[in-house]
Amino acid sequence: MPEAADTPPAGATACIVLMDGTVFWGRGFGAAATRVGEICFNTGLTGYQETLTDPSYAGQIITFTFPHIGNVGANAEDVETVTPAALGLITKADVSEPSNYRAQRHLDDWLKSFGIPGIAGVDTRALTIRIRDGGAPNGVICHAPDGNFDLASLRAQAAGWPGLEGMDLAKEVSCQQSYRWEEGLWRWNQGYDANPAKRHKVVAVDYGAKRNILRCLADAGCDVTVVPATATAEEILRHGPDGVFLSNGPGDPAATGEYAVPAIRGVLEKQVPVFGICLGHQLLALALGARTYKLDRGHRGANQPVKDLATGKVEITSQNHGFAVDDKSLPEGVKVTHVSLFDGSNEGIACEDKRAFSVQYHPEASPGPSDSHYLFHRFTALIESVKEKAA
């Protein structure tokens, strides 16, 4: 239903209220609940379940620009974390009945089990254009099956939410204690590889890590130990890692950096190879002396073109971030390796002296293309070269 006045139209059981007071009416599905956060949009054509379970979406309500959400149902294999972090979802069409041989349950039922509200019937083109032109607004999603809405209260919640700047969300989605990761990549008609080869000890710092990232590390030959976001350099190095991986995650990197940057610097001082992605990329940049800033719109989708400056090749990447590294703040010895072909923002850095590199996007591609899987093997190649020099 299009943007409308304060009186709910007939059949409205859900609404979106933006921080400026604008209301979008629609039909509710999923949990009957009210959530407040940042409203963003995702342009991915597939993988809505992976998107909803990506911890990087903590604090956010997702507008799906692809209209057919729910048509493949939900299953236990396509989740990227145990508890979804996304606050809600916005769709144009009603959630359809599942029509896929892997479906185990209806998306509506799956959303209810996690307390996630949804709204259908929204003019998602209009909302996306609004976000594109004016930036991602704070807002409220409210699913009220009885059709009763307290708009004054909803507007107050939307206007009063502080926003993601200055917000450390990594602690909320990170594991609370260290654990070993054993699972490899999924293969059609076989499931997940239960016993990938293990050649290198890698500690993965969990700022909101997706499972498929850990699977890609395991598939590349890494014996992976996952540690909490708050792990100190001493706690990381205690595992004797050949390399350290800095994961994706939500929130403001400057806020998370209060405790993450000293730990990363401690690892870099020991010359242990480091590979970071997404939030991990931003935190590595901060540890090297650079700055980050909030993007007006963010990059969220599985069709983001990125150029590798070393090879000239263009990768189509999967991304989900609202902050970026400021190229102009990079210190001497840190070079830009990748750039966005959408807006020219930074997509990768490397510091040879510190044996560290990182990218802004999600190379594990879940969902999305697999153009960037090579980066996991670049990481293991770096580890192997360090081992050979030490031999």
Side-chain angles (χ1 to χ4, degrees):
M1 297 178 186
E3 183 178 336
D6 286 2
T7 302
T13 56
C15 67
I16 297 293
V17 181
L18 305 186
M19 59 189 296
D20 65 0
T22 301
V23 181
F24 289 81
W25 298 104
R27 298 174 293 276
F29 60 92
T34 299
R35 300 284 184 266
V36 57
E38 181 180 270
I39 298 180
C40 61
F41 66 85
N42 181 289
T43 60
L45 303 182
T46 62
Y48 56 78
Q49 192 178 1
E50 291 99 322
T51 297
L52 289 166
T53 55
D54 179 353
S56 297
Y57 278 109
Q60 293 178 309
I61 300 163
I62 307 169
T63 305
F64 284 98
T65 62
F66 187 67
H68 302 297
I69 301 300
N71 57 330
V72 297
N75 63 67
E77 287 188 325
D78 291 348
V79 294
E80 292 299 326
T81 190
V82 175
T83 304
L87 298 175
L89 66 157
I90 304 166
T91 67
K92 171 62 176 176
D94 291 323
V95 171
S96 57
E97 289 294 321
S99 179
N100 185 276
Y101 75 101
R102 295 179 66 233
Q104 295 173 334
R105 61 198 301 191
H106 197 291
L107 178 62
D108 180 70
D109 177 58
W110 184 84
L111 292 168
K112 286 175 179 174
S113 71
F114 289 108
I116 301 174
I119 179 173
V122 172
D123 186 347
T124 51
R125 285 187 178 183
L127 183 55
T128 298
I129 290 170
R130 192 184 188 100
I131 297 169
R132 182 198 67 187
D133 294 345
N138 299 340
V140 174
I141 180 172
C142 177
H143 175 197
D146 60 5
N148 292 320
F149 302 91
D150 184 347
L151 287 182
S153 174
L154 296 176
R155 284 185 169 121
Q157 290 182 60
W161 195 67
L164 292 178
E165 282 194 84
M167 192 175 287
D168 172 27
L169 295 174
K171 285 180 182 177
E172 296 184 14
V173 297
S174 175
C175 62
Q176 299 304 306
Q177 58 186 20
S178 300
Y179 64 93
R180 292 280 296 280
W181 181 263
E182 301 289 347
E183 198 171 66
L185 291 177
W186 187 88
R187 307 186 196 285
W188 185 81
N189 213 29
Q190 297 179 32
Y192 291 107
D193 186 352
N195 191 31
K198 298 174 182 178
R199 299 186 301 275
H200 313 294
K201 285 187 176 182
V202 168
V203 169
V205 186
D206 177 14
Y207 302 115
K210 296 171 68 178
R211 288 177 171 179
N212 215 49
I213 292 168
L214 303 177
R215 294 183 186 114
C216 285
L217 287 169
D219 188 71
C222 299
D223 183 357
V224 182
T225 299
V226 185
V227 300
T230 54
T232 64
E234 181 183 10
E235 291 168 338
I236 294 170
L237 295 170
R238 188 180 299 154
H239 294 280
D242 299 316
V244 172
F245 177 79
L246 310 176
S247 85
N248 64 295
D252 187 339
T256 304
E258 292 293 325
Y259 54 84
V261 164
I264 296 169
R265 285 176 174 166
V267 171
L268 293 173
E269 287 173 3
K270 297 297 183 179
Q271 292 287 294
V272 177
V274 172
F275 173 31
I277 70 166
C278 193
L279 179 60
H281 160 71
Q282 297 158 3
L283 293 172
L284 175 62
L286 291 174
L288 292 170
R291 295 187 300 272
T292 57
Y293 65 97
K294 193 173 191 305
L295 294 164
D296 289 336
R297 299 155 195 83
H299 299 163
R300 297 177 180 90
N303 59 348
Q304 308 276 325
V306 169
K307 184 175 183 179
D308 184 333
L309 299 181
T311 64
K313 292 182 178 179
V314 175
E315 304 166 33
I316 303 302
T317 67
S318 181
Q319 300 198 18
N320 173 21
H321 65 104
F323 292 81
V325 173
D326 181 359
D327 278 351
K328 296 178 182 177
S329 70
L330 291 171
E332 186 177 351
V334 181
K335 65 179 181 179
V336 176
T337 59
H338 299 74
V339 297
S340 168
L341 295 185
F342 273 161
D343 59 14
S345 61
N346 181 271
E347 292 284 353
I349 60 173
C351 181
E352 293 184 9
D353 290 345
K354 297 292 186 180
R355 297 172 173 169
F357 72 99
S358 60
V359 294
Q360 180 59 77
Y361 45 96
H362 288 204
E364 94 294 343
S366 184
S370 56
D371 296 26
S372 307
H373 271 196
Y374 72 91
L375 289 167
F376 293 99
H377 297 281
R378 178 179 291 181
F379 180 42
T380 55
L382 176 60
I383 291 173
E384 288 168 359
S385 69
V386 171
K387 283 183 173 180
E388 289 173 2
K389 290 177 183 178

